[in-house]
Amino acid sequence: MIKINKTRLREKVRSFSRFGDNGNGGITRLSLSEPALQARKELICRCRKLGMEIKTDDLGDIYAIRKGTEDLPAIVMGSHLDSVVNGGNYDGVLGVLTGLEVIETLCAGNRPTRHPVGVMVWTNEEGARFDPAMMCSGIVTGHFDKDTMMHSKDPEGVCFGEALAESDFAGSRENRLNPRDYAGYLELHIEQGPVLETMKKEIGVVSGVVGMVNYEFTVTGVSDHAGTTPQKTRRDALYAASGVIVKLWDELEKIDDELVFTMGRLNVHPNVHTVIPDEVRFTLDARHQSPGIIRKVVEVIKNLPHEVKGCSVEAKELWARDTVEFDKPFVDAVRDASDELGCSYLEMYSGAGHDAQYVAGYVPCGMIFVPSHNGHSHCPEEYTPIELCANGANVMLNALLALDVKKS
Ligand SMILES: [Zn+2]
């Protein structure tokens, strides 16, 4: 089986870790910031040297394509080059650099493909500078409205549209990923969790992205003086909310071992140490691949009492997403390539969101995970040994070649 060059891949990872280097092992490479633009320019320069044709769409998404031998739609490998504040050197960028290494391997071996094959970069995946996350894959696939997104402002008041216009990366809308010109999309990504490493597996064959629900709870009581209000007559919203949180945890824990849920935000009003809280808001995020399990979560929420300790309890769904299933031929190609390369693998769903989840259902797609050391991500400790990065790149290369033979 054809293999990528590990030394060359290591050089790529090291080289791109310069852009936005924080000096602590991590990077800050916010979307369309100076370091992000430098990384984009470096990628384009390397793709041009390989003889690839470069296009950008009206959102600054980059498409670098190597010609195929037949008049067929392209298969692209991609991810993102932006990071969160003080993020790591693997999230997103590894998917782009392994894609580049795959193309470089094909070029070095004079190996033609029937389909045009290429590398792509999505703009503003993290949503760390311009909200929301996965903004441009969301626009391209019809999940978000472009005009609204163009007005999304960073903390300094700069709109996404302004930053994009200044970047010189905005191209033509016709160049957007679309089902006519593209036969497939493959995304390699770090797992961002500890499962693969714990189970000693080299590759995650990603079946899809888990569905989730996000609720906000409001518990309303009465504010009063901390010193003069008798304990027995109090309607303390925080006390009531604590009971609701414990009840939710106890009930949800029983549903399924693979269900993950988080009550991650708690706002107490007025949040003054001498005042009984009159309002508490908290969120619940719950994720699982089975819609039936998510329905059970919603049932638990619906069955909560509307009154606890003299306080009212309301639950409101903020948003939800259905489980996304990747295309079978792509999932099969990733599994078969792992098998043939002798890589141990685990079939799994992604708990985190990725651009591929929006691409699914629009252009056939699949994902490959590589292990994250200690599960760390979005921090300088984010790390995947180069051997495991290389395994992932080899799986992507061979999955791509298999799809190239099969797909029309
Ligand atoms: Zn990512």
Side-chain angles (χ1 to χ4, degrees), residues 332-394:
D332 290 347
V334 171
R335 187 193 313 102
D336 294 348
S338 306
D339 251 340
E340 284 161 28
L341 286 159
C343 294
S344 57
Y345 64 86
L346 179 72
E347 301 206 28
M348 63 194 297
Y349 280 83
S350 171
H354 297 290
D355 291 307
Q357 89 192 40
Y358 284 145
V359 176
Y362 186 67
V363 165
C365 83
M367 274 192 95
I368 301 159
F369 275 171
V370 291
S372 293
H373 185 48
N374 287 329
H376 289 311
S377 185
H378 283 186
C379 56
E381 290 76 28
E382 191 178 270
Y383 176 64
T384 303
I386 194 68
E387 287 71 26
L388 297 178
C389 298
N391 281 343
N394 282 324

Side-chain angles (χ1 to χ4, degrees), residues 167-361:
S167 76
D168 283 334
F169 277 93
S172 157
R173 189 184 161 121
E174 286 160 36
N175 292 339
R176 284 185 186 183
L177 183 86
N178 67 71
R180 189 190 61 237
D181 300 325
Y182 292 88
Y185 172 82
L186 267 173
E187 181 163 353
L188 179 146
H189 206 280
I190 54 169
E191 180 200 345
Q192 301 181 284
V195 176
L196 289 175
E197 190 179 71
T198 310
M199 299 187 67
K200 299 197 165 50
K201 302 288 184 191
E202 293 162 299
I203 297 289
V205 178
V206 189
S207 320
V209 180
V210 297
M212 62 189 287
V213 282
N214 207 304
Y215 272 79
E216 186 183 59
F217 293 80
T218 307
V219 181
T220 313
V222 177
S223 263
D224 265 312
H225 195 288
T228 58
T229 316
Q231 208 66 27
K232 289 234 174 332
T233 64
R234 294 185 180 203
R235 293 163 65 191
D236 182 328
L238 183 55
Y239 178 43
S242 313
V244 177
I245 289 170
V246 170
K247 186 169 171 59
L248 273 170
W249 184 294
D250 291 347
E251 295 287 321
L252 296 180
E253 198 179 29
K254 286 184 228 153
I255 295 179
D256 189 274
D257 282 350
E258 283 183 17
L259 175 69
V260 286
F261 57 91
T262 308
M263 286 160 263
R265 196 179 72 209
L266 182 79
N267 295 92
V268 179
H269 183 268
N271 213 19
V272 173
H273 75 285
T274 52
V275 182
I276 299 167
D278 66 344
E279 187 187 88
V280 171
R281 286 171 187 264
F282 67 92
T283 53
L284 168 71
D285 168 306
R287 308 181 186 210
H288 196 280
Q289 65 268 25
S290 153
I293 297 289
I294 295 292
R295 274 198 295 276
K296 283 190 185 168
V297 171
V298 174
E299 251 168 60
V300 167
I301 295 168
K302 296 258 149 81
N303 288 332
L304 284 175
H306 296 293
E307 207 192 297
V308 175
K309 311 284 179 200
C311 301
S312 69
V313 180
E314 259 176 72
K316 189 174 120 200
E317 186 189 285
L318 294 182
W319 61 283
R321 80 163 179 234
D322 293 334
T323 295
V324 170
E325 301 284 348
F326 291 140
D327 290 78
K328 193 170 181 302
F330 281 68
V331 179
D332 290 347
V334 171
R335 187 193 313 102
D336 294 348
S338 306
D339 251 340
E340 284 161 28
L341 286 159
C343 294
S344 57
Y345 64 86
L346 179 72
E347 301 206 28
M348 63 194 297
Y349 280 83
S350 171
H354 297 290
D355 291 307
Q357 89 192 40
Y358 284 145
V359 176

